[in-house]
Amino acid sequence: MASNEAHPGEQAAQDPIRLLAIRESPLSVDEIFRAVGDDAAGGTALFVGTVRNHDGGADVDALGYSCHPSAEAELRRVAEKVVADYPVRALAAVHRVGDLAVGDLAVVVAVSCPHRAEAFEACRRLIDDLKHEVPIWKHQTFSDGTEEWVGAC
């Protein structure tokens, strides 16, 4: 009998990037979760980023996201790096732009891998690199009338 390492399910999938998008419409956790379904995956990790009502000790009244025209291409580059470094069976990442309300989903990413540890690590890398490298900016307006831009890169 072949070792687990020889089984095709233990390796990265042929085309694991299933869904990448930047959208103005509301995001769906179910859509992202379905996108990373894979019979060879023993672990699926999903991260959901939501709009919170505060930041840095100040109350947030309004929030909007905008992005550079290259953002989707940069998102693909980030996803490809994760796929190259982990045995990803399936990967999905969607970020929202436009005006959002407290509680809205801002970003949803998910990764499925043969094992849970790999899925957790790959998902964390995906969201961390997305936040640091993809040109998406957050504009926050605080209840005291001040505002700030927070950039991804």
Side-chain angles (χ1 to χ4, degrees), residues 28-46:
S28 165
V29 171
D30 290 338
E31 176 192 22
I32 307 307
F33 184 70
R34 280 191 307 272
V36 297
D38 190 288
D39 289 343
T44 300
L46 182 119

Side-chain angles (χ1 to χ4, degrees), residues 6-124:
H7 191 279
E10 293 293 320
Q11 309 304 314
Q14 195 74 7
D15 185 15
I17 299 174
R18 306 273 176 84
L19 173 62
L20 296 176
I22 296 175
R23 298 182 179 159
E24 291 185 23
S25 57
L27 305 184
S28 165
V29 171
D30 290 338
E31 176 192 22
I32 307 307
F33 184 70
R34 280 191 307 272
V36 297
D38 190 288
D39 289 343
T44 300
L46 182 119
F47 173 81
V48 178
T50 56
V51 176
R52 62 181 178 264
N53 66 359
H54 67 281
D55 190 29
D59 293 334
V60 173
D61 282 350
L63 185 141
Y65 284 97
S66 60
C67 67
H68 188 272
S70 68
E72 281 197 26
E74 290 301 307
L75 180 57
R76 175 158 294 280
R77 186 184 59 76
V78 164
E80 288 171 350
K81 286 192 324 187
V82 171
V83 166
D85 291 344
Y86 296 92
V88 173
R89 299 296 309 165
L91 177 149
V94 181
H95 202 296
R96 190 160 172 207
V97 293
D99 295 329
L100 282 73
V102 170
D104 283 349
L105 305 184
V107 61
V108 182
V109 302
V111 178
S112 61
C113 292
H115 304 284
R116 71 178 174 274
E118 300 157 341
F120 278 126
E121 291 171 21
C123 189
R124 174 139 196 170

Side-chain angles (χ1 to χ4, degrees), residues 110-145:
V111 178
S112 61
C113 292
H115 304 284
R116 71 178 174 274
E118 300 157 341
F120 278 126
E121 291 171 21
C123 189
R124 174 139 196 170
R125 167 92 174 278
L126 177 60
I127 189 60
D128 286 351
D129 287 358
L130 184 161
K131 297 303 277 181
H132 289 105
E133 299 178 28
V134 178
I136 297 172
W137 304 284
K138 177 170 58 173
H139 181 239
Q140 301 183 111
T141 303
F142 299 102
S143 60
D144 65 4

